[in-house]
Amino acid sequence: MSRISVRGFAVASATAVTTVGAVVGVAAGSEQQQGSSDPIEATAADSTLLADIPAGQQAVAQGASLAQQADVQSTAADAEAKKSAEESARKQAAKDAKAKKAAADKAAAEKLAKEREEKKQEVASRSAKREAVDIPQKASYTIAETQAIARQMMASDQFQCFSNIVDHESGWNYKATNASSGAYGLVQALPGSKMASAGADWRTNPATQIKWGLNYMNDRYGSPCGAWSFWQANSWY
């Protein structure tokens, strides 16, 4: 009964009854005819299609369901978009922070390198000024005299570091010789002839040895204190 209606069934039944009545000679007054046909016609007239009712309800339900699904999907899409935007913002913030840190580290490293270079140049400049000091030549020098010469040739804040190295290397003996290696002088240059770059009298003049030692420490370690820090860690420089 997919598409058969109550009304259709009632009309068919009424027609059948009327036809049978006519054949068997059943005749009644107008009131009886009206009374016999009206209930059926009324019933048929008041009936609606069975298929139409559920179909209408289903259409409404389906429409509501589709609207609800659309709302759910829209809400889910908005949530996903928000999540995606937040994740993108988080990644960008992390990227920006990393770049900012890298830039700060680079700037700090450049600043430190600049400060070290300026310090090195300052130390070298002060050493050069002290190297120009006229130190009288003598046949021999005591430890005190040799130390006094060293003080004149370098910055006061570098002397102790220089002295620490010389204490360990030669005990302030400008003629000290290492029998096994051939190292010579206050700073134990190896070979001793290296000190000829500072003066031909490197064997006998502590000032020449100090000049060479200062140049070596400044060039390689930045200063006597830089050389002393290395010496403490390695027992050589």
Side-chain angles (χ1 to χ4, degrees):
M1 295 179 66
S2 59
R3 298 297 298 175
I4 297 175
S5 70
V6 173
R7 179 182 179 184
F9 180 77
V11 170
S13 298
T15 302
V17 170
T18 303
T19 302
V20 171
V23 172
V24 297
V26 177
S30 59
E31 292 181 358
Q32 290 177 331
Q33 291 178 354
Q34 291 176 357
S36 63
S37 61
D38 287 346
I40 296 175
E41 290 297 328
T43 301
D46 293 338
S47 298
T48 56
L49 291 174
L50 296 175
D52 289 343
I53 295 173
Q57 293 176 349
Q58 183 178 7
V60 173
Q62 287 178 345
S65 177
L66 290 174
Q68 184 178 12
Q69 290 178 11
D71 289 341
V72 170
Q73 291 175 353
S74 177
T75 301
D78 291 344
E80 184 63 25
K82 181 179 180 181
K83 181 179 179 181
S84 179
E86 290 175 348
E87 181 65 13
S88 297
R90 184 189 67 79
K91 289 181 178 180
Q92 186 61 45
K95 184 178 180 180
D96 292 344
K98 184 177 181 180
K100 185 177 181 180
K101 183 178 184 302
D105 291 344
K106 182 180 179 181
E110 291 176 349
K111 181 180 179 180
L112 180 60
K114 182 179 180 182
E115 290 176 349
R116 286 178 175 175
E117 182 62 25
E118 290 175 350
K119 180 69 175 179
K120 181 179 178 180
Q121 292 178 359
E122 180 183 356
V123 171
S125 177
R126 288 186 294 182
S127 296
K129 290 179 181 178
R130 286 167 174 77
E131 288 171 5
V133 174
D134 185 19
I135 299 174
Q137 189 81 23
K138 295 178 61 175
S140 63
Y141 301 84
T142 65
I143 290 177
E145 288 173 335
T146 302
Q147 290 176 338
I149 293 171
R151 287 181 183 277
Q152 293 180 61
M153 295 179 67
M154 68 186 71
S156 59
D157 61 346
Q158 297 297 313
F159 173 77
Q160 189 58 57
C161 294
F162 183 88
S163 179
N164 290 340
I165 293 174
V166 175
D167 281 339
H168 286 285
E169 295 293 329
S170 65
W172 284 96
N173 179 4
Y174 65 96
K175 293 181 179 180
T177 303
N178 187 310
S180 61
S181 67
Y184 184 83
L186 294 171
V187 294
Q188 289 292 280
L190 180 65
S193 58
K194 285 183 176 182
M195 293 186 290
S197 62
D201 58 351
W202 59 270
R203 291 181 180 84
T204 59
N205 190 345
T208 300
Q209 295 182 13
I210 293 168
K211 177 181 178 180
W212 183 88
L214 277 174
N215 289 337
Y216 172 79
M217 294 177 194
N218 287 336
D219 289 343
R220 185 161 184 174
Y221 302 104
S223 67
C225 285
W228 173 236
S229 294
F230 184 88
W231 197 102
Q232 288 177 293
N234 301 277
S235 297
W236 61 275
Y237 74 108

